[in-house]
Amino acid sequence: MKINNKIAILLVLSLSFLILGCRADSSRQINQQSVKFHITENQNAKPVIFILVDSLMDKPLQEAIQEGRAPAMQYLLKNGQYFPQVVSSFPTMSVTVDSTLLTGTYADQHHVPGLVWYSDKEKRMIFYGNGAKEALKIDQLQVFMEAVYQLNQVHLSKKTKTIHEELADKGKESASINALVFRGRTEHVLNVPRFITYRNRVPEQLIVTGPKWFSYAALAQLDPNNSWNTLLWKKYGMNNEFSAQDTAFLINQKKLPNVTIAYFPENDHSVHKKGPAQLGGIEKADQALQVVLNAYGSWEQAVKNAIWIVMGDSAQTAVYNDRQAATVELMPLLNDYRIAKLNQPVKTEDQIVISTNERMAYVYAIDAKVELSDVVKLLQNEDKLDIIARKDDKNILVTSGKNGNTFSYRPGGNLSDEYGQSWTLSGEPGNLVDITINNNRIKYGIYPDVLARLYGAMHSHEGRYVVVTVQPGYELVSESSTTHIGGGSHGSLHEKDSLVPLIISGTNTRPKTLRIVDIKDWILQLVNG
C-alpha cells in the first residue's frame, strides 16, 4: 500500500485507528496585544477562498483542462488570471512550504526546516511524517505529537505571525480546513482516545491554537455531517472530499470568514505513485472544487461574491523507474564516520546524523571534531549530487558533486536580484546554480530564487550541517528512506520541484512577486483594502 510520507497523522492512524476517537471539544479566544501597524479597513472586501492543491503543476493542469477533466479550474482561469510559474519555498516539502505560505517568511524566520530534521537542542530526530519502512523503526506516538502539536505550537517560530494571527489581531476571522500548518489565536481542545493515552505518553487532551473556524481531518470537523469522510478507507478525513464539504458548509451556513484556507491533499499521493504526468489527481481535486463552487448556487455567483485562489504548494520531478539507477545513498559516502541509527537514541559516540527529505537532505556533524569541509569533500564523490552547501561565520559556501567549483555568498552588497534582494557573491556561481550577472543584476535560471531559499534552509535551525540536493530523476536515501521509483518526488531547489501554478479569480490584483513567500501579504491587502 502506498503510504503518504508527508502527513504523519495518516501513518499513525493506519496503525492504531488514532483519529476516530478524537473530537474538537471547545474553543476560546486568547487575548493578544493588537498589531503595531495599521491597515486601512475595507468592510466591503469579498471573502478570500484559498484552495491549496498539493503538488499541482502547470503542464498536467493545462492537459487536464484541454481534456475537459478540470472544468472548475478552467472556469476560474478563464474568469481571472493565471500564472504558471510561482516559486515555492525550500525544502520543497509541504510543512516548510505551508509555513512559508502562512507566515510570509522563509525557513530562516519560521524555523520549520523540513519534513525530517535533527534538533540539536533535544538531541533527536524530528519527524512530521515518514514512510512505511521508517515507521517500523520510529516511535509513532512521537510522530503523532510532532505533527498534531509540536509543529504548530512549538517549532513554528512565535516571532513570525501566521495569517490567522494577523487577521485575528485586526478583528477579522479566518478558517483552516485540513491545512497542516494552522496556528491562530483561538484555542481548540482535542480529546485523545484512551487506547492512545493508556500508557500516559500522550495526554488525554491536546490544546492547539488555530483560527476561529478550524477543521483537521477526524480530529475536528465543521460540518456535523462530514464524519462519513473520516473513515479508515477515506484516510481518516485527510482527503479532498472532507476539505470541500467543510468549506461548502461555511458557505451554505453563511459563516464564511474573511479568509478560508482549504487543503486538498490527494493529488500529491497520485503524483508520488504515478509520476508528474498523471491527471487523475487533478481531476479529483477539480471535482472537490466543484462542490465548493456549487455551494454558491452557480459558478457565476461564486466568482461574483468571493475571491478565489487555487495554487500548488510544490512541484515534483519524475524519478527513474529503476531503484539502482534512481537512488543516491548517502550513508556509504560517509562511512568514515559513525552514523546515528534511525531506531536508536543518538549516542555520544555518534558523529553524523542524516535527515533525508526525498530529493534534499540535511547532514549534521554532531561531533565537534568533525569538520564540515571534510563532510563536503566526501559528498563530492557522488556526481549525482546537485548542490552541496555549508556555512561559515559569514558566508554560505556552495559546491556540487559534478565538479570542484565553489562560490560563496551572503545577504547585502552591490548585487540585486529580480525580487529586490541584495547580495555579495564571490566565485563563479554560473555552473553551480545557473546564475548570470549583468550590470550588477542577478538573473536566476533553473534554480529560482536560489540564494534566498538556500539561505533560509541554512539558517532554519541550530546545529552544524550540510545541505545537499540531488539532480532531477534521482532521490536521496539513507536508512529506510521512502522512495518513489517510477513516480514523482520533490524537496530540491531545481525548478522541476519548485514552480507551481496560481489561478486568481474575483480580483484584478496579484502578489507583489510570483513567490509563495509573498502570498500572505497580498491576501492581507485583499481583506483590509
Side-chain angles (χ1 to χ4, degrees):
M1 180 178 67
K2 191 69 176 179
I3 303 292
N4 175 18
N5 70 319
K6 293 170 64 177
I7 306 171
I9 196 170
L10 298 185
L11 182 55
V12 177
L13 298 183
S14 68
L15 297 177
S16 62
F17 293 89
L18 187 55
I19 281 182
L20 289 177
C22 301
R23 65 185 187 274
D25 186 61
S26 64
S27 64
R28 59 184 182 273
Q29 191 73 20
I30 303 173
N31 292 325
Q32 296 286 341
Q33 293 181 345
S34 61
V35 289
K36 296 180 180 179
F37 57 88
H38 175 73
I39 301 176
T40 303
E41 298 277 343
N42 180 4
Q43 299 297 331
N44 296 319
K46 294 192 291 186
V48 176
I49 301 175
F50 187 102
I51 307 293
L52 188 65
V53 181
D54 204 327
S55 297
L56 183 66
M57 293 169 280
D58 170 59
K59 185 176 179 181
L61 171 59
Q62 295 284 13
E63 292 178 1
I65 289 175
Q66 290 173 5
E67 294 183 13
R69 298 172 67 174
M73 295 186 201
Q74 181 181 27
Y75 182 84
L76 294 178
L77 191 154
K78 285 188 174 182
N79 290 273
Q81 307 172 71
Y82 182 66
F83 303 97
Q85 296 185 334
V86 176
V87 182
S88 186
S89 185
F90 175 73
T92 39
M93 307 297 287
S94 285
V95 290
T96 301
V97 178
D98 293 358
S99 297
T100 291
L101 173 67
L102 260 68
T103 66
T105 67
Y106 281 144
D108 57 311
Q109 295 182 57
H110 65 61
H111 296 168
V112 178
L115 186 71
V116 183
W117 55 284
Y118 174 78
S119 171
D120 189 63
K121 179 180 179 181
E122 299 183 40
K123 307 300 180 186
R124 67 179 182 87
M125 297 272 280
I126 305 295
F127 293 89
Y128 302 125
N130 47 272
K133 292 181 180 179
E134 289 175 327
L136 300 175
K137 299 183 178 182
I138 300 169
D139 180 358
Q140 290 303 298
L141 293 180
Q142 185 63 50
V143 175
F144 169 74
M145 289 297 295
E146 307 287 13
V148 174
Y149 183 82
Q150 297 285 335
L151 169 60
N152 284 277
Q153 309 306 314
V154 178
H155 299 151
L156 184 68
S157 174
K158 297 294 194 300
K159 295 180 180 180
T160 57
K161 288 186 179 181
T162 69
I163 191 169
H164 300 304
E165 292 168 328
E166 297 264 19
L167 289 166
D169 290 345
K170 294 297 294 180
K172 304 288 187 180
E173 294 182 355
S174 60
S176 175
I177 298 175
N178 258 350
L180 306 180
V181 182
F182 52 74
R183 196 182 70 203
R185 297 297 191 207
T186 303
E187 286 188 349
H188 299 272
V189 181
L190 306 178
N191 291 325
V192 183
R194 290 184 179 180
F195 60 84
I196 297 300
T197 64
Y198 75 100
R199 291 185 179 179
N200 297 320
R201 293 189 53 224
V202 176
E204 293 182 357
Q205 291 187 328
L206 290 175
I207 300 176
V208 298
T209 60
K212 178 181 179 179
W213 303 101
F214 176 63
S215 175
Y216 191 57
L219 289 171
Q221 304 95 51
L222 295 172
D223 185 350
N225 296 318
N226 207 3
S227 58
W228 69 277
N229 265 318
T230 66
L231 300 174
L232 167 65
W233 55 89
K234 289 183 172 291
K235 301 182 178 69
Y236 299 95
M238 193 55 71
N239 61 69
N240 298 343
E241 292 176 279
F242 177 96
S243 300
Q245 184 165 327
D246 261 13
T247 307
F249 174 79
L250 291 175
I251 298 170
N252 290 324
Q253 296 296 313
K254 302 187 185 306
K255 295 179 178 179
L256 197 68
N258 300 96
V259 176
T260 299
I261 298 176
Y263 174 55
F264 288 10
E266 294 183 69
N267 182 58
D268 177 73
H269 312 166
S270 299
V271 178
H272 274 311
K273 184 176 181 178
K274 299 179 182 179
Q278 68 82 37
L279 305 182
I282 296 175
E283 184 174 18
K284 290 182 66 176
D286 194 87
Q287 291 168 354
L289 177 58
Q290 292 173 43
V291 171
V292 183
L293 288 168
N294 290 341
Y296 276 99
S298 72
W299 292 4
E300 292 83 0
Q301 286 298 313
V303 170
K304 179 180 178 181
N305 289 287
I307 295 171
W308 296 82
I309 304 168
V310 179
M311 191 181 72
D313 59 350
S314 66
Q316 294 194 33
T317 184
V319 178
Y320 295 129
N321 195 22
D322 179 89
R323 179 177 178 83
Q324 186 173 359
T327 56
V328 176
E329 297 191 22
L330 292 175
M331 295 180 71
L333 296 170
L334 301 168
N335 60 11
D336 287 355
Y337 300 111
R338 291 186 296 275
I339 302 173
K341 297 293 184 181
L342 194 64
N343 62 341
Q344 299 175 7
V346 175
K347 302 176 181 178
T348 55
E349 61 266 27
D350 289 331
Q351 297 176 294
I352 295 288
V353 173
I354 302 173
S355 298
T356 55
N357 288 266
E358 296 184 20
R359 291 178 22 80
M360 174 271 183
Y362 292 105
V363 179
Y364 300 86
I366 59 174
D367 183 345
K369 297 179 182 178
V370 175
E371 297 289 341
L372 288 180
S373 58
D374 293 334
V375 174
V376 169
K377 289 177 182 177
L378 291 174
L379 292 170
Q380 282 184 292
N381 290 320
E382 174 53 71
D383 289 341
K384 299 182 185 71
L385 292 184
D386 202 22
I387 291 174
I388 306 171
R390 66 181 178 92
K391 63 183 178 183
D392 59 18
D393 293 338
K394 295 182 178 180
N395 299 297
I396 295 175
L397 292 81
V398 183
T399 186
S400 75
K402 293 178 286 188
N403 56 60
N405 293 340
T406 300
F407 83 95
S408 64
Y409 75 97
R410 64 179 182 271
N414 64 342
L415 301 178
S416 61
D417 63 22
E418 59 193 276
Y419 305 112
Q421 302 163 139
S422 61
W423 306 96
T424 295
L425 276 70
S426 300
E428 297 293 334
N431 292 334
L432 291 170
V433 293
D434 195 24
I435 283 177
T436 56
I437 301 172
N438 187 20
N439 294 326
N440 291 334
R441 294 285 295 177
I442 295 172
K443 182 178 180 180
Y444 299 115
I446 61 174
Y447 305 95
D449 199 20
V450 60
L451 300 180
R453 294 199 296 150
L454 180 57
Y455 181 90
M458 296 302 305
H459 294 84
S460 59
H461 56 305
E462 295 179 352
R464 296 189 308 127
Y465 52 86
V466 177
V467 166
V468 297
T469 68
V470 72
Q471 296 172 27
Y474 301 98
E475 253 187 325
L476 292 169
V477 297
S478 55
E479 183 184 352
S480 304
S481 298
T482 296
T483 57
H484 303 93
I485 308 304
S489 184
H490 45 190
S492 83
L493 285 155
H494 197 280
E495 64 181 5
K496 289 187 176 181
D497 294 10
S498 302
L499 296 179
V500 298
L502 168 65
I503 302 171
I504 304 169
S505 187
T507 176
N508 293 323
T509 68
R510 50 159 282 182
K512 179 177 67 175
T513 73
L514 293 177
R515 299 182 300 170
I516 286 179
V517 73
D518 285 320
I519 294 291
K520 173 194 170 187
D521 286 346
W522 171 56
I523 292 177
L524 290 174
Q525 290 171 10
L526 290 173
V527 172
N528 294 293

